[in-house]
Amino acid sequence: MSIEAISFGLLAKEDLILYGSLTRVKMGTYLHVKMEYKEPLKKAFRHFCNRYNLRKDDIVFKLGNYPVDENLSPEAVHIKGNDIIAVYNEKKIPSSSFQKDLWSMYQKEMYTDITLIFDKREFKAHKALLAARCPKFEAMFRANLAESGMQTITLDSELEYGADAFKMLLEYLYTDEVKSFEEKSSAPHILEGLPVLSCSSPRPRAWSPIVSLFCLAEEYLVPRLKDMCTEELKSRITRENAPEVLYQTDLYGADTLKQHCMGVILERPDKVLYGEAIKRLAKTSPDLMLYLAQQLHESTNRRTSMKRSRSEDAPIFPRRRTRTRRVHFQDPQQP
C-alpha cells in the first residue's frame, strides 16, 4: 500500500536566533507538519521559517545527527509518521584572523628577536617568520656569516628604495597582502610631481613606492609580490608617464614592464614623441632613446607590410560600367 501523505514534527532544539542577537524561537517550540510523501521537504522548511520570521540560511534541519537536504522528499530520507526533525542554529565558521593577528604582533613589536635597519630606520621583526617567507632572509640567517648571530642587521643595497617600500615588503611577508600598497598607489599618475632621475646619481632612488616595492620584491626573491606590483603598474601606465616609467624599468631590469611601456608608446607614437617626457628621456638616456627609435622603426615597417599584404590578398573586381537610360515623358495634353 503506497503512502500519499505523512505527518511529522519540527522541533527547535535550542533558541533560534536571528542576526546573532534577536531570539525568534524558544527552545522546545514544536510545529506539526503534514505533506505529501514524495514532495520535497523545502516546502515544510519554508513554512517553518515563514511562521517564525526566520532566515533559512541561519538554521539547519537534522534528522538524528545528520543534516536533511531540503531538495529530498520524506520518502528519500525515510521519514516515518510522527518522526521529529530537529532545528538548530547554523554554526557558521568565523573568518580567519590569522593575517590580522600576525600583522598586529608586528605592529605591537611582540616577542621580536631581530632589528633590521633599512634607509636609517629600524624595523623590529621575527626572524623565524622572515626566514620562512623570504629566501634572502633565510639564506642570511642560515649562512655562517656574522650577521646571522646579530640582533641588529643593517641592510644595504645598490639602489635606494626608501623605508616606506621596505615596510610594505614586511607587510606582505606577514599578511600575504599589501593594504598600504593600495593606499599609496591611489594617485591617478604614479609619477606625478616627481623629478626625472639622473644617470650621474651614484645611488638613484625610485620615484614611486610601487616601483620601489617591485625592485625590493625582485631583490628579496618574492615573485608573487613582484607580479602584484607589475599588474598594478601596468594599470597605471599612461602615455604621459610611459617614457619616465620606461626609464625606470630599464634602470632596474624590469623587462615585462619595459615591453608594456614600449607597447603604450608605440600604440600612438604621435601622442608621445612630441611631449616633454620624451624630451627628458632623450637627454637622460640616449641609448634607451635609440632603442625606442629602433622599435618604432620596426613597428612602422610591420604595419606597412601588413597593409601591403592585405591589399595584395584583396580580390580585384573589374569596374562595372552602367548605362544611363533616358526616359521621355509625353505631355498628355499634346496630341
mmCIF file of all heavy atoms in Angstrom, residues 104-121:
data_model
loop_
_atom_site.group_PDB
_atom_site.id
_atom_site.type_symbol
_atom_site.label_atom_id
_atom_site.label_comp_id
_atom_site.label_asym_id
_atom_site.label_seq_id
_atom_site.Cartn_x
_atom_site.Cartn_y
_atom_site.Cartn_z
ATOM 1 N N SER A 104 49.282 42.451 13.608
ATOM 2 C CA SER A 104 49.157 43.124 14.908
ATOM 3 C C SER A 104 50.354 42.808 15.801
ATOM 4 O O SER A 104 50.852 43.679 16.517
ATOM 5 C CB SER A 104 47.856 42.696 15.594
ATOM 6 O OG SER A 104 47.754 43.266 16.881
ATOM 7 N N MET A 105 50.837 41.593 15.727
ATOM 8 C CA MET A 105 52.012 41.210 16.501
ATOM 9 C C MET A 105 53.233 42.001 16.049
ATOM 10 O O MET A 105 54.068 42.410 16.866
ATOM 11 C CB MET A 105 52.257 39.708 16.363
ATOM 12 C CG MET A 105 53.410 39.178 17.185
ATOM 13 S SD MET A 105 53.544 37.378 17.108
ATOM 14 C CE MET A 105 53.925 37.158 15.362
ATOM 15 N N TYR A 106 53.345 42.228 14.740
ATOM 16 C CA TYR A 106 54.458 43.032 14.229
ATOM 17 C C TYR A 106 54.322 44.488 14.661
ATOM 18 O O TYR A 106 55.298 45.117 15.098
ATOM 19 C CB TYR A 106 54.518 42.938 12.708
ATOM 20 C CG TYR A 106 55.409 43.987 12.078
ATOM 21 C CD1 TYR A 106 56.787 43.819 12.055
ATOM 22 C CD2 TYR A 106 54.870 45.150 11.531
ATOM 23 C CE1 TYR A 106 57.620 44.779 11.499
ATOM 24 C CE2 TYR A 106 55.683 46.116 10.976
ATOM 25 C CZ TYR A 106 57.052 45.938 10.955
ATOM 26 O OH TYR A 106 57.866 46.895 10.419
ATOM 27 N N GLN A 107 53.127 45.045 14.523
ATOM 28 C CA GLN A 107 52.944 46.453 14.854
ATOM 29 C C GLN A 107 53.160 46.727 16.335
ATOM 30 O O GLN A 107 53.676 47.789 16.711
ATOM 31 C CB GLN A 107 51.541 46.895 14.431
ATOM 32 C CG GLN A 107 51.353 46.953 12.921
ATOM 33 C CD GLN A 107 49.947 47.352 12.536
ATOM 34 O OE1 GLN A 107 48.970 46.917 13.146
ATOM 35 N NE2 GLN A 107 49.831 48.203 11.520
ATOM 36 N N LYS A 108 52.791 45.781 17.192
ATOM 37 C CA LYS A 108 52.982 45.958 18.637
ATOM 38 C C LYS A 108 54.367 45.525 19.096
ATOM 39 O O LYS A 108 54.672 45.629 20.293
ATOM 40 C CB LYS A 108 51.915 45.162 19.389
ATOM 41 C CG LYS A 108 50.496 45.652 19.143
ATOM 42 C CD LYS A 108 49.486 44.776 19.873
ATOM 43 C CE LYS A 108 48.057 45.245 19.607
ATOM 44 N NZ LYS A 108 47.062 44.374 20.275
ATOM 45 N N GLU A 109 55.173 45.007 18.153
ATOM 46 C CA GLU A 109 56.537 44.558 18.454
ATOM 47 C C GLU A 109 56.540 43.498 19.554
ATOM 48 O O GLU A 109 57.377 43.521 20.473
ATOM 49 C CB GLU A 109 57.426 45.737 18.827
ATOM 50 C CG GLU A 109 57.559 46.773 17.719
ATOM 51 C CD GLU A 109 58.476 47.922 18.087
ATOM 52 O OE1 GLU A 109 58.946 47.939 19.248
ATOM 53 O OE2 GLU A 109 58.723 48.795 17.232
ATOM 54 N N MET A 110 55.642 42.548 19.457
ATOM 55 C CA MET A 110 55.534 41.480 20.444
ATOM 56 C C MET A 110 56.536 40.372 20.134
ATOM 57 O O MET A 110 56.537 39.821 19.033
ATOM 58 C CB MET A 110 54.108 40.920 20.454
ATOM 59 C CG MET A 110 53.039 41.930 20.849
ATOM 60 S SD MET A 110 51.356 41.289 20.589
ATOM 61 C CE MET A 110 51.417 39.788 21.577
ATOM 62 N N TYR A 111 57.388 40.060 21.086
ATOM 63 C CA TYR A 111 58.332 38.944 21.013
ATOM 64 C C TYR A 111 59.259 39.048 19.800
ATOM 65 O O TYR A 111 59.642 38.033 19.208
ATOM 66 C CB TYR A 111 57.596 37.604 20.989
ATOM 67 C CG TYR A 111 56.521 37.482 22.032
ATOM 68 C CD1 TYR A 111 55.174 37.454 21.668
ATOM 69 C CD2 TYR A 111 56.839 37.419 23.378
ATOM 70 C CE1 TYR A 111 54.178 37.356 22.628
ATOM 71 C CE2 TYR A 111 55.846 37.315 24.347
ATOM 72 C CZ TYR A 111 54.520 37.292 23.962
ATOM 73 O OH TYR A 111 53.542 37.206 24.917
ATOM 74 N N THR A 112 59.602 40.242 19.389
ATOM 75 C CA THR A 112 60.533 40.403 18.276
ATOM 76 C C THR A 112 61.938 39.974 18.717
ATOM 77 O O THR A 112 62.321 40.151 19.879
ATOM 78 C CB THR A 112 60.555 41.853 17.798
ATOM 79 O OG1 THR A 112 60.894 42.708 18.898
ATOM 80 C CG2 THR A 112 59.196 42.258 17.259
ATOM 81 N N ASP A 113 62.689 39.417 17.779
ATOM 82 C CA ASP A 113 64.026 38.933 18.108
ATOM 83 C C ASP A 113 65.099 39.443 17.154
ATOM 84 O O ASP A 113 66.234 38.979 17.199
ATOM 85 C CB ASP A 113 64.049 37.401 18.125
ATOM 86 C CG ASP A 113 63.546 36.797 16.825
ATOM 87 O OD1 ASP A 113 63.187 37.573 15.909
ATOM 88 O OD2 ASP A 113 63.503 35.560 16.720
ATOM 89 N N ILE A 114 64.750 40.388 16.287
ATOM 90 C CA ILE A 114 65.739 40.950 15.376
ATOM 91 C C ILE A 114 65.314 42.361 15.000
ATOM 92 O O ILE A 114 64.111 42.669 14.913
ATOM 93 C CB ILE A 114 65.906 40.073 14.112
ATOM 94 C CG1 ILE A 114 67.110 40.524 13.309
ATOM 95 C CG2 ILE A 114 64.647 40.102 13.256
ATOM 96 C CD1 ILE A 114 67.477 39.597 12.184
ATOM 97 N N THR A 115 66.302 43.220 14.792
ATOM 98 C CA THR A 115 66.068 44.594 14.356
ATOM 99 C C THR A 115 66.765 44.808 13.020
ATOM 100 O O THR A 115 67.977 44.578 12.899
ATOM 101 C CB THR A 115 66.596 45.607 15.388
ATOM 102 O OG1 THR A 115 65.947 45.386 16.643
ATOM 103 C CG2 THR A 115 66.321 47.027 14.932
ATOM 104 N N LEU A 116 66.003 45.222 12.037
ATOM 105 C CA LEU A 116 66.534 45.493 10.702
ATOM 106 C C LEU A 116 66.608 46.999 10.501
ATOM 107 O O LEU A 116 65.625 47.712 10.746
ATOM 108 C CB LEU A 116 65.647 44.864 9.633
ATOM 109 C CG LEU A 116 65.391 43.361 9.759
ATOM 110 C CD1 LEU A 116 64.367 42.917 8.724
ATOM 111 C CD2 LEU A 116 66.683 42.568 9.612
ATOM 112 N N ILE A 117 67.754 47.475 10.067
ATOM 113 C CA ILE A 117 67.940 48.893 9.782
ATOM 114 C C ILE A 117 67.979 49.060 8.274
ATOM 115 O O ILE A 117 68.861 48.529 7.594
ATOM 116 C CB ILE A 117 69.229 49.430 10.420
ATOM 117 C CG1 ILE A 117 69.179 49.254 11.942
ATOM 118 C CG2 ILE A 117 69.419 50.901 10.077
ATOM 119 C CD1 ILE A 117 70.441 49.712 12.646
ATOM 120 N N PHE A 118 67.006 49.788 7.775
ATOM 121 C CA PHE A 118 66.896 50.000 6.330
ATOM 122 C C PHE A 118 66.620 51.474 6.099
ATOM 123 O O PHE A 118 65.646 52.028 6.603
ATOM 124 C CB PHE A 118 65.754 49.151 5.750
ATOM 125 C CG PHE A 118 65.743 49.085 4.254
ATOM 126 C CD1 PHE A 118 66.382 48.058 3.591
ATOM 127 C CD2 PHE A 118 65.104 50.057 3.503
ATOM 128 C CE1 PHE A 118 66.391 47.984 2.208
ATOM 129 C CE2 PHE A 118 65.103 50.005 2.125
ATOM 130 C CZ PHE A 118 65.743 48.965 1.477
ATOM 131 N N ASP A 119 67.491 52.096 5.309
ATOM 132 C CA ASP A 119 67.351 53.522 4.996
ATOM 133 C C ASP A 119 67.265 54.360 6.275
ATOM 134 O O ASP A 119 66.411 55.244 6.418
ATOM 135 C CB ASP A 119 66.127 53.762 4.108
ATOM 136 C CG ASP A 119 66.190 55.115 3.414
ATOM 137 O OD1 ASP A 119 67.296 55.658 3.267
ATOM 138 O OD2 ASP A 119 65.117 55.636 3.031
ATOM 139 N N LYS A 120 68.122 54.019 7.235
ATOM 140 C CA LYS A 120 68.255 54.732 8.508
ATOM 141 C C LYS A 120 67.032 54.616 9.403
ATOM 142 O O LYS A 120 66.874 55.394 10.343
ATOM 143 C CB LYS A 120 68.564 56.217 8.257
ATOM 144 C CG LYS A 120 69.857 56.457 7.481
ATOM 145 C CD LYS A 120 70.084 57.944 7.260
ATOM 146 C CE LYS A 120 71.367 58.167 6.446
ATOM 147 N NZ LYS A 120 71.624 59.605 6.218
ATOM 148 N N ARG A 121 66.178 53.651 9.140
ATOM 149 C CA ARG A 121 65.019 53.403 10.012
ATOM 150 C C ARG A 121 65.075 51.985 10.543
ATOM 151 O O ARG A 121 65.529 51.065 9.856
ATOM 152 C CB ARG A 121 63.710 53.620 9.249
ATOM 153 C CG ARG A 121 63.281 55.084 9.207
ATOM 154 C CD ARG A 121 61.998 55.254 8.421
ATOM 155 N NE ARG A 121 60.910 54.465 8.937
ATOM 156 C CZ ARG A 121 59.680 54.434 8.407
ATOM 157 N NH1 ARG A 121 59.430 55.158 7.331
ATOM 158 N NH2 ARG A 121 58.742 53.704 8.936
#
